Amino acid sequence: MTPTRLFILLISLAWLPTSLCLGADPMPDGNISIHSDAMTQNAANDIIIATGNVRVIWQGMTLTADKATYYRTTRILYATGNVVAKKGNDTLKGDSISLDMDTGRGELEKGVLNSTASNVTFTGEKVIRLNDNDFQIFTTDLTTCDYPDPSWKFRADRLDVNLLGYAIGRDVTFYIKDVPVLYFPWMAFPVVRERKSGLLFPRVSYTSNRGAEVDIPLYLVISPSQDLQLDLDPQTKRGLGTGLDYRYIRSRGSEGQIGGYLIYDLPKDHWRGQIAINHKEILSPDMNLRSDINLTSDRNFLLDFGERSGDYNRQSNDTIVNALKTWQHYALTGYLRIVEDLYTPDNSHTLQTLPEISLAGVRQRIPSTPVYFDLDSSFADMYRGVDTTGQRVSAFPRLSLVTGLPGYLNVTAYGGLQLRGYNTQNTAGSGTRPEDGDLLPQAGASASTSISRVYDVGGPSLLKLRHELTPELSYVYAPNHDQTRLPFYDYNDRLVGQNILYASVTSFLGGKYQTGDVTTYRDLSRIELTQGYGIEGTRRNLLTMVDINRPWTDLFLESETWVHPQAKLIFDSSYNVYHNYISSAAPGLEFDDKKGNTAVLSYRFARDQVQYTEGKIITKVFKPWVFGYAARYSFDLSGFLESVYTVEYHQKCWSIISSVVQRPGVPFSFHINFTLEGLTGKSPTASSGLLTTSTPAASSGPLPASH
């Protein structure tokens, strides 16, 4: 070996302890892996220096940087230049980082912390990583918008962040762009999307009867299956209102909600309020109990404050308790209903059901025969302050024969008895006997068939059309006799005599479509025509007036036509064949392009009774604006029953929604809601946001079932 070659060999052997192969793992303990374009090791100081496309893998974290220095003795890693550290849903970015490989504590300069689990981004001059879930961020911004120019942000001197809970800050300022808008001495932000307790974003509105109003809600998570929302509702014209909304879920799907509102009404000079309780108790798969309790302090409460819950035009306050037990062929129901009629001067004439017990038997076949049996029966205790009260027992057993020619003709005939018995109090002067009863037979039959044909169209998308016609004849008979001696509680006490034959035909049209390799079937049209003929020469119809000695009923038309995959035309009407006029009509058009643009327009007409139109339109054509308008107009009253205008300005990370409502008696009502995406009520679990404008039920999201 020449002296030159020997010298080169000695130099190489001397340098060998501080040189590493590209991408090699120098860690003897095996829990850290460092890869880079170039890597050197200083054996004297036990330091590893990696440069160029550095990638460090440690305990599920992947860190990339331009350069990294690892001190093996102290187990400290220092990385600089485009530092990105990812672990699970969380990402750290910054200029440089110092990371303790034993404790996991790290310090990041000019850092950004992003959690995809909550879509929240934090920036700070310094970010200290305490462990996988806890961070401290100094001189920091928080937003769910994209950087570098977020639409909004919260700025604080320091935030203590727990990725499983909250980010807590003091001296917090809210910015729109770079303009400070609000200051908070203390605030807690949710970091995860699960439901979290906190102060929700206020709702601002103005109405002519309540004045300026600011609804300040506080949302509390009591347990995984319980939550509570408290509201403070100051109103300049009425006083200070308070609200409560408590929800819970129990085992087997049992659940409930308790809501209430209380205000000392300054103009009325007394307390006013409302309570609503809804509960469903699943006792077993075949037995449940439901209750719906609605109470108000006075009969005009909903007129003044019902707009909050959407009950401003409710006709009555109903408290209902219902119990159900089912078997294979029978169902037993217990039903209690207490009604407060808000459209009458007082409640003395309002009928209360205390209670009603019903037994129903579904149609079941009598063995070895084509005959079926079914039953409706009930016992009801009726009460009201004045007029007759008492008890009613009713039963309607039926036998049905199902026959025909399979594939060609379907025939059903039935017969039964309507039985009623009464025990009546307060009968003086009413013409009603204390004890009475009635028996009314009823029979009927129907026969129908179906004719269909398929047409080959061979169009570019429409391949085939299927047309089906279903004609049907039916007959109903019940004798017409005097029932005025019986008490009148509801229309079950005045059964209509019938001897009438109905004829109907239904036309159905459907299409088979081919788009590429996808085949779809779509309904195109359904039209049904029906008319009845009174055999005794007198037309009896519950929907229109009775014409004496004119046996033909109105001609009824019901139709649904899909004029386009996104548009449907509905038309229901009745036509008087004697006077040659339309007795009633209800046309409507529905449009939905599945892109956020919808329109609904309908018209309601019943001769000498009602005539009005209503419509709604929502469009996202003018993005980022969303415009909406809904209205009801009465031709009878020559005025609008309701008009609602809405405007939403929607950006990726925030939106503002304003609405104006006009109704008779409340000429002006204005509402404004501000939503911060990721911190407010846009997602199904948006209750995690401390800033939201949703209603109590909507803001808290679905509750998980308890275990």
Side-chain angles (χ1 to χ4, degrees), residues 281-355:
E281 184 71 22
I282 307 299
L283 301 173
S284 68
D286 54 10
M287 189 173 182
N288 64 70
L289 175 67
R290 299 171 186 261
S291 61
D292 189 2
I293 300 171
N294 295 280
L295 301 173
T296 57
S297 59
D298 55 88
R299 301 170 62 80
N300 295 318
F301 177 85
L302 295 178
L303 291 175
D304 294 333
F305 301 98
E307 189 176 1
R308 289 175 50 89
S309 59
D311 295 329
Y312 63 92
N313 60 350
R314 183 191 290 179
Q315 297 184 9
S316 64
N317 262 338
D318 295 356
T319 293
I320 298 173
V321 179
N322 183 78
L324 173 66
K325 168 64 177 175
T326 62
W327 295 272
Q328 183 177 1
H329 297 293
Y330 291 92
L332 179 66
T333 304
Y335 176 83
L336 182 147
R337 181 178 182 182
I338 301 175
V339 179
E340 182 182 15
D341 191 341
L342 303 178
Y343 278 34
T344 58
D346 58 61
N347 215 39
S348 59
H349 294 270
T350 305
L351 185 68
Q352 316 295 342
T353 305
L354 305 169

Side-chain angles (χ1 to χ4, degrees), residues 419-493:
L419 302 112
R420 290 168 294 167
Y422 296 89
N423 179 36
T424 310
Q425 293 86 44
N426 302 330
T427 59
S430 66
T432 300
R433 291 181 290 187
E435 295 180 356
D436 206 343
D438 187 66
L439 187 150
L440 184 70
Q442 181 175 319
S446 65
S448 65
T449 187
S450 180
I451 306 169
S452 63
R453 183 174 178 179
V454 177
Y455 300 89
D456 290 320
V457 178
S461 60
L462 179 59
L463 302 181
K464 295 183 180 182
L465 282 174
R466 181 178 181 272
H467 185 214
E468 180 179 353
L469 286 175
T470 304
E472 181 177 358
L473 284 174
S474 61
Y475 171 74
V476 179
Y477 172 78
N480 186 23
H481 71 289
D482 183 23
Q483 303 168 69
T484 57
R485 72 183 191 281
L486 302 176
F488 181 75
Y489 302 121
D490 53 39
Y491 285 99
N492 291 321
D493 300 307

Side-chain angles (χ1 to χ4, degrees), residues 161-319:
V161 180
N162 183 291
L163 295 180
L164 300 179
Y166 296 101
I168 299 175
R170 291 173 176 81
D171 296 325
V172 181
T173 305
F174 176 64
Y175 286 78
I176 296 180
K177 291 294 187 179
D178 292 322
V179 179
V181 177
L182 294 172
Y183 170 78
F184 305 91
W186 182 91
M187 182 171 283
F189 305 89
V191 180
V192 294
R193 290 184 181 268
E194 287 78 13
R195 299 171 306 116
K196 290 294 180 182
S197 301
L199 186 66
L200 306 179
F201 201 86
R203 241 182 2 174
V204 180
S205 62
Y206 178 85
T207 59
S208 58
N209 66 335
R210 295 195 301 273
E213 181 178 1
V214 180
D215 183 7
I216 306 172
L218 174 65
Y219 179 70
L220 302 172
V221 178
I222 301 173
S223 72
S225 57
Q226 299 179 78
D227 61 14
L228 173 68
Q229 180 163 308
L230 303 173
D231 287 81
L232 193 64
D233 185 27
Q235 304 172 21
T236 57
K237 291 186 177 181
R238 309 307 288 258
L240 179 63
T242 55
L244 174 147
D245 191 355
Y246 168 66
R247 303 187 309 165
Y248 57 90
I249 287 180
R250 293 170 21 81
S251 59
R252 294 194 296 267
S254 300
E255 60 184 1
Q257 183 170 354
I258 302 173
Y261 185 79
L262 182 66
I263 185 171
Y264 189 83
D265 194 350
L266 296 177
K268 303 289 186 180
D269 195 25
H270 62 81
W271 290 99
R272 305 178 70 189
Q274 176 187 22
I275 186 169
I277 303 174
N278 183 278
H279 178 74
K280 177 179 70 174
E281 184 71 22
I282 307 299
L283 301 173
S284 68
D286 54 10
M287 189 173 182
N288 64 70
L289 175 67
R290 299 171 186 261
S291 61
D292 189 2
I293 300 171
N294 295 280
L295 301 173
T296 57
S297 59
D298 55 88
R299 301 170 62 80
N300 295 318
F301 177 85
L302 295 178
L303 291 175
D304 294 333
F305 301 98
E307 189 176 1
R308 289 175 50 89
S309 59
D311 295 329
Y312 63 92
N313 60 350
R314 183 191 290 179
Q315 297 184 9
S316 64
N317 262 338
D318 295 356
T319 293

